[in-house]
Amino acid sequence: MRKKWTTESVSIGSVQMLGQRLSIRVVTCERLRQHKLWKLKYEVVSKASPFFGKVDIIFATDLLRDGHSYSVRVNQETANPRIVKVFRELTDPDGTPRTRSIKAKG
């Protein structure tokens, strides 16, 4: 389990699914075997997003590692939040996975 960077609590539905592209940091990842999905607790680290610092739950078909940050596109159903595309893992200029350099406020 990873510690989140923001002081916000998990609030389901706090990040509206508008088909937008977001930078997120995965806090926890849990496999849902029966549904063949991954349940992710994540925080938004896109500073330009109105959801910056919000912590929510989303589902994905691909494994995203906890503690890592990714650029993703989400669906348009807030009632059934899904990651529809993973563009890339966010990295620091030296090529290492981005872990602490995009700390959220708080």
Side-chain angles (χ1 to χ4, degrees), residues 7-56:
T7 57
E8 297 270 340
S9 297
V10 175
S11 179
I12 297 187
S14 64
V15 179
Q16 294 178 8
M17 299 290 111
L18 306 170
Q20 73 271 38
R21 187 171 177 165
L22 292 172
S23 294
I24 64 168
R25 178 178 173 269
V26 178
V27 179
T28 62
C29 183
E30 175 188 350
R31 177 76 172 151
L32 303 176
R33 290 179 191 255
Q34 187 174 11
H35 300 287
K36 297 181 182 174
L37 290 173
W38 294 94
K39 179 182 177 183
L40 310 171
K41 178 169 46 170
Y42 71 100
E43 55 191 327
V44 178
V45 294
S46 304
K47 291 183 180 178
S49 172
F51 308 111
F52 176 69
K54 299 288 185 191
V55 182
D56 205 343

Side-chain angles (χ1 to χ4, degrees), residues 35-86:
H35 300 287
K36 297 181 182 174
L37 290 173
W38 294 94
K39 179 182 177 183
L40 310 171
K41 178 169 46 170
Y42 71 100
E43 55 191 327
V44 178
V45 294
S46 304
K47 291 183 180 178
S49 172
F51 308 111
F52 176 69
K54 299 288 185 191
V55 182
D56 205 343
I57 302 292
I58 198 165
F59 300 92
T61 55
D62 297 321
L63 170 64
L64 301 181
R65 296 180 55 191
D66 50 343
H68 290 244
S69 300
Y70 299 90
S71 177
V72 300
R73 179 162 318 277
V74 298
N75 66 354
Q76 295 183 13
E77 296 179 52
T78 302
N80 184 22
R82 299 278 180 111
I83 293 174
V84 294
K85 182 170 184 172
V86 177

